[in-house]
Amino acid sequence: MTATSAALTPPADAVAPTRHPDAPAPGEPLGSHYGHCFGCGDGQPHGLHLDARAGEGVTVTAEFTVTADHQGAPGLAHGGILATALDETLGSLNWLLRVIAVTGRLETDFRRPVPVGTVLHLQAEVTAVHGRKIYSTATGRIGGPDGPVAVRADAMFVEVKVEHFIDNGRPEEIQAAMSDPDQVRRARAFEVNP
């Protein structure tokens, strides 16, 4: 495996992550954080439709099936799509901490090709927290949850306020999300990515 860069190594005074008391129970599906999200939304016909579940501690598992819409080289998943699947899975961890955070840095290692038709089994965990920075790691396996590692990533997310999205997003999507009467869906709409 490739060594993690210094930017993704938690400082010595980082603390262990703590699962929020209101986080979904282990095994519970996390669902889409936003219907139009390319990673997990059901409103994206060519999206990943990633299905994530809460794990023990501050971990999640997820799956997505590589379709012909996700290929780069003929018959193989595009590397950017695999990085997106890792990023989406890593971002789902923030729901277990109950914070709004965006990807600050993502380093991905590609270990083996992932053919179209493959189910990618993803596992992610938060490893440390330091102030607003959340450090995490993920793997994507083929052939089952214990199969060989095809891709892996280390990431650092940065906790932000909802204003980050309000100030930078398209007004019509922001207004639609903010108008949702479901408090949980409204909060989750602003869960991951810049």
Side-chain angles (χ1 to χ4, degrees):
M1 298 243 171
T2 304
T4 300
S5 73
L8 291 176
T9 301
D13 60 342
V15 298
T18 303
R19 185 187 188 100
H20 192 280
D22 296 329
E28 188 175 322
L30 298 180
S32 170
H33 77 90
Y34 179 58
H36 295 290
C37 174
F38 183 79
C40 66
D42 56 9
Q44 291 290 341
H46 302 296
L48 303 185
H49 301 228
L50 191 118
D51 179 28
R53 292 185 177 272
E56 298 291 333
V58 190
T59 68
V60 297
T61 60
E63 292 182 358
F64 103 92
T65 302
V66 178
T67 71
D69 294 321
H70 304 137
Q71 64 188 317
L76 297 174
H78 189 288
I81 293 292
L82 298 175
T84 300
L86 289 161
D87 185 46
E88 186 71 27
T89 304
L90 289 157
S92 295
L93 291 164
N94 298 317
W95 188 239
L96 302 180
L97 300 172
R98 297 301 283 264
V99 298
I100 299 170
V102 296
T103 310
R105 187 173 185 99
L106 176 71
E107 291 184 13
T108 307
D109 297 317
F110 301 94
R111 305 297 306 272
R112 61 181 66 227
V114 179
V116 169
T118 298
V119 175
L120 190 65
H121 300 268
L122 298 135
Q123 299 171 322
E125 69 174 316
V126 175
T127 58
V129 177
H130 186 258
R132 294 175 43 224
K133 294 180 179 179
I134 302 162
Y135 296 87
S136 52
T137 188
T139 58
R141 298 173 182 270
I142 57 176
D146 297 319
V149 173
V151 293
R152 63 166 306 283
D154 292 307
M156 186 267 296
F157 281 74
V158 179
E159 187 175 349
V160 296
K161 302 291 185 200
V162 73
E163 287 77 19
H164 170 85
F165 300 95
I166 293 168
D167 294 345
N168 296 293
R170 286 192 341 173
E172 52 270 24
E173 279 91 357
I174 297 298
Q175 184 58 43
M178 294 297 281
S179 298
D180 192 324
D182 183 317
Q183 293 286 330
V184 171
R185 281 199 327 241
R186 183 182 318 150
R188 288 207 60 208
F190 302 102
E191 170 174 276
V192 295
N193 295 330

